[in-house]
Every structure is written in C-alpha cells, then in structure tokens.
C-alpha cells in the first residue's frame, strides 16, 4: 500500500480516474481529499476548494443522493470541484471555438447562446485570476485564444 500511495501522487487526472477503476482498494486511495487538492493546485492554480462551484454543480447534488442511497461516502469535495472546473473549461472551449472571429459575435443571437458566452467569459476571467498562472489550464488560455479566432470577436 505504501508504494501504491507514492505512485498515485504522481498521476494526472485521467490516469487517476483509470486507476480508480482497478479495484476497491485503489479507488479508496484515489479518492483521498489531499490528492485532489494537489491536482487542483497543479492543474487549476488554486489552493482551496471553491464551494460555490461545488454546490452549484448538478453532479454534486446527484452524486450525494446516489452515494447516500447506495450507502457509500460522497465524493471528496476537491474531486467534485476539479470535475466542475473541467466541465466549465470544456464548455468554454466549445463556446469560444464557435465564435466567427470577424469582430462581431455572430451566432450569439439566442438567450441560450448569450448565457453560454457569458459563462465562457466568466470561466476565462477565473482562469486569468488564478493564484498560479503557470498551472496547467491557466497557462493554456493564451494559446487557446490564439489558435481559435475568438480573440477577434472578444
């Protein structure tokens, strides 16, 4: 178990998710709150859990209800926070990649599209205000904006 615990500290998000599926004992090691706090710091540049994100996440409420019904413990808050941030990153990428880039926010005519654009810009602002701008996702923002043509519209 000691060697396993040391090995798990070096894994990234995707690898940790795969290892957690191997068996119950490995899943228990993978669900350690400290491990997810380290991933939050390394990948998102934050040192604490954003409870507003966790509580607003639909998966958080669903996960708590399913865990309670199954008699299991709920997912660690840091893991829920990480997954919520990842979902918002992916939604931001989809939304900003869809902008035309001609200086006019074409395709943003419905209220749903405006809401998605607002959420994408909110996520972009949070990444820009990360405590550690060298973390994995905040450091990707500039190259992402340069690769897609959204910067012309924004």
């Amino acid at each position: 178990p000691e060697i396993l615990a040391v090995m798990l500290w070096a894994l990234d998000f995707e690898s940790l998710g795969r290892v957690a599926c191997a068996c119950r004992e490995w899943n228990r090691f993978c669900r350690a709150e400290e491990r997810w706090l380290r991933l939050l710091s390394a990948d998102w540049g934050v040192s604490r859990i954003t409870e507003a994100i966790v509580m607003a996440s639909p998966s958080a409420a669903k996960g708590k209800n399913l865990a309670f019904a199954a008699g299991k413990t709920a997912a660690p808050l840091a893991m829920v926070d990480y997954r919520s941030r990842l979902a918002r990153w992916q939604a931001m990428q989809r939304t900003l990649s869809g902008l035309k880039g001609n200086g006019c926010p074409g395709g943003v005519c419905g209220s749903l599209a405006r809401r998605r654009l607002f959420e994408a810009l909110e996520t972009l602002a949070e990444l820009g205000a990360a405590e550690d701008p060298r973390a994995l996702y905040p450091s990707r923002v500039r190259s992402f904006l340069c690769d897609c043509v959204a910067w012309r519209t924004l």
Side-chain angles (χ1 to χ4, degrees), residues 117-137:
L117 180 60
F118 176 75
E119 290 171 354
L121 293 175
E122 191 175 52
T123 302
L124 193 59
E126 286 176 15
L127 287 168
E131 296 170 18
D132 182 8
R134 296 171 312 221
L136 180 66
Y137 288 100

Side-chain angles (χ1 to χ4, degrees), residues 6 13-14 42 44 48 52 56-57 59 66 83 87 97-98 100 102-103 113 118 134 140 144 146 150 154:
V6 171
F13 171 74
E14 290 179 16
W44 298 103
R48 62 190 183 292
S57 169
S59 62
L66 291 177
R83 288 181 174 171
S97 294
K100 305 293 184 220
N102 58 3
F118 176 75
R134 296 171 312 221
R140 290 182 178 176
F144 167 71
C146 288
L154 299 175

Side-chain angles (χ1 to χ4, degrees), residues 10 14 23 29 44 47 50 57 67 93 112-113 115 121 125 129 135-136 143:
E14 290 179 16
C23 68
F29 277 112
W44 298 103
S47 60
T50 308
S57 169
Q93 283 184 311
L112 178 61
R115 184 175 60 93
L121 293 175
L136 180 66
S143 62

Side-chain angles (χ1 to χ4, degrees), residues 4-27:
L4 174 66
V6 171
M7 288 174 32
L8 291 178
W9 278 105
L11 297 180
D12 63 343
F13 171 74
E14 290 179 16
S15 302
L16 197 60
R18 289 186 192 113
V19 167
C21 296
C23 68
R24 286 185 187 180
E25 183 180 3
W26 287 24
N27 187 318

